[in-house]
C-alpha cells in the first residue's frame, strides 16, 4: 500500500510540474507577442498642418507677390498697359529702382531726369540704386503739366533739378499701410501723405498706384511733379 501511495503522489507531482511549465511558456509567449506588436499609426489630425503653419505659409506667399500690397485707382490701368516684362509690377521687383524705372514706359521723363539725360550734371542713378528708399515717381503725364520753359531751365540749372528730384525721395522703404503722415526727404524738406487705401495724396499729387516694389525701394506713381516748399 505504501508503495502504491508513493507512486500515486509521484505521478501527481510530475503532472503538476508539467502543468506549471506549460502555463509559464504560455505566459512568456503572450508577453513576447505584445512587445513585438507594431505601434499605432499617427492620427490624421497629427499629420495635418496646423492653422498657424497654414497662415504663415499664406503670409509668406503674399509677401513674395509684388502685386500683393498695391494701392491706388490706377493699378489696374498700369497692369493693363504694362502687363509683362521688365517694366511690369513683377519685372520692376527684380531690379534696383533707377534700373526698374528705366524699364517702365510711363516713367521715361523721370528716368531722363535722374540719369543725366535731361541735365548732364545731374546723375542720381548710383545714389538711388545704392540704398533703401521710398520714391514718389511722377509719370510722364505729370511732367507734361510743367511749363515747357521750366523744363528748359532744368536742363541747365542742375541745383534746381537736383532739389526737385531729391524732394521725391524718402530714406527707407515705407509700405502703403504706413505711408500716411509727414516724411523727411533726401532734399531736406518734408512731404505729407494724406488719405488711405486707394485714395492717397502726396502733398497735392494723387497716388496713381503705390506700393510698387523694386529690389531696393518702394515706389508710388504720382500724377504731378512735387515742388519743394
Amino acid at each position: 500500500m505504501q508503495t502504491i501511495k508513493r507512486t500515486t503522489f509521484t505521478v501527481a507531482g510530475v503532472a503538476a510540474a508539467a502543468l506549471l511549465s506549460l502555463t509559464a511558456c504560455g505566459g512568456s509567449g503572450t508577453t513576447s507577442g505584445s512587445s513585438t506588436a507594431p505601434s499605432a499609426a499617427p492620427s490624421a489630425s497629427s499629420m495635418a498642418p496646423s492653422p498657424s503653419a497654414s497662415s504663415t505659409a499664406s503670409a509668406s506667399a503674399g509677401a513674395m507677390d509684388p502685386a500683393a500690397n498695391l494701392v491706388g485707382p490706377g493699378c489696374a490701368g498700369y497692369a493693363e498697359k504694362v502687363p509683362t516684362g521688365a517694366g511690369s509690377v513683377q519685372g520692376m521687383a527684380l531690379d534696383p529702382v533707377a534700373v526698374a524705372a528705366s524699364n517702365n514706359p510711363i516713367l521715361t521723363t523721370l528716368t531722363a531726369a535722374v540719369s543725366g539725360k535731361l541735365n548732364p550734371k545731374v546723375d542720381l542713378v548710383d545714389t538711388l540704386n545704392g540704398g533703401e528708399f521710398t520714391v514718389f515717381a511722377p509719370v510722364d503725364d505729370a511732367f507734361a503739366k510743367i511749363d515747357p520753359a521750366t523744363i528748359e531751365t532744368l536742363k541747365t540749372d542742375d541745383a534746381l533739378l537736383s532739389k526737385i528730384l531729391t524732394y521725391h525721395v524718402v530714406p527707407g522703404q515705407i509700405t502703403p499701410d504706413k505711408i500716411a503722415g509727414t516724411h523727411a526727404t533726401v532734399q531736406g524738406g518734408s512731404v505729407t501723405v494724406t488719405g488711405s487705401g486707394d485714395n492717397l495724396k502726396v502733398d497735392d499729387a494723387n497716388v496713381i498706384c503705390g506700393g510698387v516694389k523694386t529690389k531696393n525701394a518702394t515706389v508710388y506713381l504720382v500724377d504731378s511733379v512735387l515742388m519743394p516748399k
Side-chain angles (χ1 to χ4, degrees):
M1 287 294 290
Q2 290 180 349
T3 302
I4 292 174
K5 287 181 180 180
R6 274 197 219 92
T7 303
T8 301
F9 290 151
T10 302
V11 171
V14 171
L19 181 59
L20 288 172
S21 176
L22 288 172
T23 302
C25 289
S28 174
T30 302
T31 303
S32 175
S34 299
S35 64
T36 57
S39 60
S43 66
S45 60
S46 68
M47 296 176 67
S50 67
S52 60
S54 299
S55 299
T56 301
S58 299
S60 298
M64 294 175 65
D65 180 5
N69 298 314
L70 296 181
V71 295
C75 290
Y78 168 35
E80 183 177 347
K81 187 169 184 177
V82 194
T84 59
S88 67
V89 171
Q90 288 75 17
M92 288 187 68
L94 303 177
D95 292 312
V97 64
V99 177
S102 71
N103 293 324
N104 193 316
I106 63 175
L107 296 176
T108 59
T109 307
L110 177 62
T111 297
V114 302
S115 65
K117 293 179 180 178
L118 181 65
N119 184 326
K121 295 182 180 180
V122 179
D123 187 340
L124 304 178
V125 170
D126 289 342
T127 299
L128 291 172
N129 287 344
E132 298 281 325
F133 299 108
T134 294
V135 178
F136 300 106
V139 298
D140 290 341
D141 288 344
F143 280 97
K145 297 178 183 179
I146 298 178
D147 181 70
T150 300
I151 297 295
E152 288 300 314
T153 299
L154 295 177
K155 290 180 180 179
T156 56
D157 191 337
D158 47 295
L160 179 58
L161 179 58
S162 296
K163 183 178 181 179
I164 292 173
L165 292 176
T166 54
Y167 184 69
H168 289 74
V169 182
V170 172
Q173 296 196 53
I174 308 173
T175 54
D177 60 323
K178 298 179 180 178
I179 194 64
T182 299
H183 307 284
T185 69
V186 171
Q187 177 265 339
S190 60
V191 294
T192 299
V193 181
T194 56
S196 61
D198 290 335
N199 298 296
L200 291 172
K201 290 179 72 73
V202 186
D203 290 345
D204 294 325
N206 296 301
V207 172
I208 299 170
C209 185
V212 179
K213 300 295 293 182
T214 74
K215 196 172 183 180
N216 70 311
T218 300
V219 178
Y220 293 79
L221 306 178
V222 294
D223 68 355
S224 299
V225 176
L226 307 178
M227 292 297 177
K229 302 178 184 66

